[in-house]
Amino acid sequence: MSNVTIASSNVTADDHVESELAGFLNLEKPTSFFLFAGAGSGKTRSLVNALNYLRKTYRDPLRLRGRQVAVITYTNAACDEITRRTGYDPLFVLRTIHSFAWSQIQGFNADIRAWLKDNLHREIDELQVEEAKGRPGTKASAARQAQIESKQLRLERLAGIKSFIYNPNGDNRERNSLNHSEVIRIFSTFLLTKPLMQRIFVEKFPFLLIDESQDTSRALIDALLALQKAHADRFCLGLIGDTMQRIYPDGKERIESEIPQSWATPEKKLNHRCPRRIVRLINQIRGGADNHKQEPRDDRPEGWVRLFVFSVDSPDKPSLEQRVRDYMAELAGDQDWIDPNKCKILTLEHHMAARRMGFLQMFEALASVDDYRTGLLDGSFAPTRFFTHYVLPLVTAQQNGDKFGVTKLVRENSPLLSKGSLKDNEKPILQLRSAQAAIDSLMGLWASGEPTCAEIAENIASTNLFTVPDPLKATLAAKRAASTAVPDADEADPVSEQIAALISFLECPFSEIAPYAAYVAHEAPFDTHQGVKGLEFERVMVLMDDGEARGFLFGYDKLLGAKAPTAADIKNTQEGKETSLDRTRRLFYVTCSRARSSLALVAYSPDPAAVRAHVIANDWFATDEVVSELRPHDGGQVQS
């Protein structure tokens, strides 16, 4: 569809926001702010313009005092893009949250040691209290004892660690390394409790801008809000984001409500990405959550939106979805819809991708635990990463006869061939033989069929081929205890939610690891809100299926009117807590707002008629935009 010809255009309607930001970024009289920037509003452009203004206005006074401007982004890709667009200027420190946090605490080894000592003592005390209340010989007791042993060993080694290390993109398996969670917690704690660090930080960074602030760790956001309050006259904290686009559970809920009255709250209203019809739709979607509304650019086309509503019991859903693409190709006059590789297929819930790709069992085992979910979805969760980054590459290389690949993996990652092991052993050849024996032992597990993750982890723990993460060690101890545990005792002293989830995970076949690894690496045909955040595509198809997702965490039928909210939803709403409807609305908004030209929404429901009636009655879709039946083999003709 051709663009609209107009006498005047609104494409510069948000330009005043850039001027407002410049006014806030005053070195002598800073004004902290929360910039609301909805989907496709050009927040990266605003961020780059703000940085360029700071460079033009304050470059010399900042450099003379060794000061810089800090920017925290959510992904390495976003960091690289902003760095490129600001000309790689050293005036700007652009990093992801973990990388930035580490840069601020690195070298404070005595303080880090003291924090770890206190934290380990507290965790050990809590476990010992639980152990005293529990029953000996149970799986829970075995897991607790393994955790206590691991933490006590780390505690004993603290005094001998001269300096701590951390890699934001690695596994941090060394004795002197910190894990991802610890880095954020330590930095947040230091900011809150150490006035000297506050003064040093503010002197070094008079301006700190945070992109995607709604998904930044709530602990760090709270610490930075306290820092800004204490140093408001000389420190500018700029938060950029949109609460409707919060997708990670550890982000700051309702961040806009936490903004102090003294802050500025500019808003970008224009959507530069989506055509006019899709902007109207996403405004309707978020209308049940807040009052923010976007405007489409006058020079954007009308665009295409269709909601396809089918029975949840529909046979051969992949074939049905192909016919949806055929329909969209004819409707929009865009033959690229026919090729699934030229349109982005999104699912709102990971369960759907897990089921279709073959890693449902492991996903269901872990996704219900709040502490695990973010790491599971972004691929950083240590127990799963152990399999995806060490076991899977080794097994694949070995099965493919890639001797060079096997040797490289083991040399780089196995404790058997570490510099310390080879140095301490008078006959390094024996270590090489031990490593080969460990590999042979591991591969022998496939002689009788596909092994479970538990069998693999037990084998590797016994040979020391790789370092098994502590959570898996504790879980293996619990599984060993299961063979001798008294059932009644286990019922009286059950394992924790975390250990129970890991036990279920280890019972999964190893064959589920490869499709999961492809999924979190965004190498699969399906993607979700996490994988496409900040991205845009010409054609987007969103799949919604409570039957496949099992209503887990999300509820499409509730959002689309086929089901009433549950008693738990009503209770959470009354208590100001998040509901499955809230989560679903946000993710629906994120996925729909990726489309640049046309959008196909496919909903499988137990009551298609109720969905159709609800979305039409609530003005989400016009009558002719809701398709309830596709005729086979007729070139995409439909019945509405």
Side-chain angles (χ1 to χ4, degrees), residues 10 87 149 158 185-186 189 211 245 273 435 458 460 522 569 579 610 625:
N10 68 345
E149 180 182 352
L158 277 181
R185 290 164 62 198
I186 292 171
T189 300
D211 192 15
Q245 297 188 71
R273 173 190 302 146
E458 280 283 19
I460 291 175
H522 309 300
D569 289 328
T579 69
E625 291 179 323

Side-chain angles (χ1 to χ4, degrees), residues 438-640:
I439 296 171
D440 294 341
S441 176
L442 173 64
M443 298 308 300
L445 295 176
W446 274 262
S448 55
E450 186 77 20
T452 64
C453 291
E455 291 170 327
I456 290 172
E458 280 283 19
N459 180 278
I460 291 175
S462 68
T463 64
N464 201 31
L465 177 59
F466 297 123
T467 301
V468 178
D470 287 343
L472 287 184
K473 289 180 182 177
T475 306
L476 291 174
K479 285 181 66 64
R480 295 185 201 110
S483 60
T484 57
V486 179
D488 290 343
D490 268 330
E491 290 180 11
D493 183 18
V495 295
S496 67
E497 177 190 30
Q498 289 81 0
I499 295 296
L502 288 172
I503 289 175
S504 297
F505 163 58
L506 287 178
E507 291 171 349
C508 296
F510 179 73
S511 58
E512 295 205 1
I513 297 297
Y516 163 74
Y519 182 63
V520 295
H522 309 300
E523 297 170 352
F526 300 98
D527 216 329
T528 60
H529 43 281
Q530 277 95 345
V532 299
K533 187 175 181 178
L535 302 179
E536 56 187 45
F537 310 93
E538 288 298 319
R539 304 152 210 89
V540 171
M541 181 162 75
V542 181
L543 305 181
M544 298 169 281
D545 190 338
D546 275 349
E548 289 194 39
R550 300 189 181 182
F552 180 77
L553 291 176
F554 305 95
Y556 323 117
D557 283 320
K558 295 176 190 175
L559 182 68
L560 299 177
K563 288 184 179 179
T566 64
D569 289 328
I570 295 171
K571 183 174 182 289
N572 285 336
T573 299
Q574 292 171 343
E575 296 176 355
K577 297 179 180 178
E578 185 177 79
T579 69
S580 60
L581 182 60
D582 296 328
R583 288 188 289 268
T584 307
R585 186 186 302 276
R586 288 202 311 271
L587 305 189
F588 194 43
Y589 176 89
V590 170
T591 51
C592 290
S593 61
R594 301 306 96 193
R596 282 185 48 85
S597 66
S598 49
L599 172 66
L601 307 169
V602 181
Y604 296 100
S605 172
D607 193 347
V611 171
R612 176 184 176 83
H614 179 83
V615 298
I616 292 174
N618 285 272
D619 294 325
W620 281 30
F621 300 92
T623 302
D624 63 351
E625 291 179 323
V626 183
V627 180
S628 54
E629 183 179 348
L630 284 173
R631 297 171 182 167
H633 315 302
D634 65 357
Q637 295 181 35
V638 300
Q639 293 179 353
S640 296

Side-chain angles (χ1 to χ4, degrees), residues 266-307:
E267 178 175 351
K268 302 194 75 173
K269 292 184 176 294
L270 210 57
N271 184 312
H272 297 272
R273 173 190 302 146
C274 303
R276 288 175 287 167
R277 177 63 189 94
I278 294 177
V279 172
R280 293 197 300 273
L281 174 62
I282 62 178
N283 281 339
Q284 290 289 96
I285 292 170
R286 77 178 299 157
D290 59 39
N291 296 320
H292 291 294
K293 286 189 177 295
Q294 289 186 298
E295 300 173 11
R297 285 174 56 132
D298 288 334
D299 59 356
R300 294 293 287 138
E302 176 66 12
W304 303 97
V305 171
R306 287 294 184 272
L307 172 64

Side-chain angles (χ1 to χ4, degrees), residues 4 33 66 85 92 140 147 226 230 283 295 328 339 370 387 405 419 454 472 477 479-480 501 510 518 535 591:
V4 177
F33 62 89
R85 290 169 66 172
F92 307 124
Q147 290 172 306
N283 281 339
E295 300 173 11
M328 293 300 296
D339 185 350
D370 287 342
F387 288 97
K419 291 181 180 179
L472 287 184
K479 285 181 66 64
R480 295 185 201 110
F510 179 73
L535 302 179
T591 51

